[in-house]
Amino acid sequence: MYLFRHVMVGANDLGESKRFYDAILGVLGLDPGTNEGNKCRWLGEGGQFLIKLPIDGEPASHANGGTIGFECSSTVMVDAWYAAGMSNGGSCITSPEISDRGAYKLYLSYIRDPVGNKLNASYQLSD
């Protein structure tokens, strides 16, 4: 059973946000997103990721305390994800580094998308 059917975040400029997400999701192996009027959609094996102009017409904003995490298959993929995000309008929270979580270690990075949504890419290191 899949955990999520979809994840959606708001966007203020679909073109700007689509360029950003095409870049970082492309590193993860997804095809470019599909424009669908006031939203864009990326399809993955376990669900879909969407960006959308807010229905209420107010500016999109990021979730306070929220993070969307993407799983990577290698440290190289985390580095490429970070580089793609940073060169397509993202801002750095944490550049790629090793994070010791006690029971396991992750190679990870945190960035913000053009609206300010907090994103993470990580790869679990083997001992």
Side-chain angles (χ1 to χ4, degrees):
M1 178 167 149
Y2 295 116
L3 183 58
F4 298 106
R5 181 181 175 281
H6 73 275
V7 172
M8 182 183 306
V9 298
N12 290 319
D13 180 322
L14 281 180
E16 175 186 48
S17 290
K18 183 177 184 308
R19 275 189 304 281
F20 174 85
Y21 281 104
D22 276 345
I24 68 167
L25 296 176
V27 170
L28 303 180
L30 286 123
D31 291 331
T34 303
N35 289 317
E36 299 177 2
N38 65 349
K39 66 183 172 207
C40 296
R41 177 185 319 265
W42 291 261
L43 298 174
E45 291 179 23
Q48 47 192 322
F49 183 84
L50 300 99
I51 57 173
K52 185 174 184 181
L53 298 174
I55 293 171
D56 65 5
E58 295 294 319
S61 61
H62 61 279
N64 184 18
T67 302
I68 299 171
F70 297 100
E71 186 172 357
C72 293
S73 60
S74 68
T75 59
V76 171
M77 185 179 276
V78 172
D79 290 339
W81 180 91
Y82 173 80
M86 293 305 293
S87 63
N88 284 279
S91 57
C92 178
I93 299 172
T94 304
S95 56
E97 66 180 16
I98 295 174
S99 176
D100 189 342
R101 303 293 171 106
Y104 58 92
K105 292 181 182 176
L106 295 174
Y107 186 73
L108 56 72
S109 176
Y110 287 93
I111 60 176
R112 291 197 184 274
D113 75 1
V115 171
N117 293 298
K118 185 177 174 184
L119 309 172
N120 164 264
S122 63
Y123 170 69
Q124 187 168 334
L125 300 168
S126 56
D127 289 331

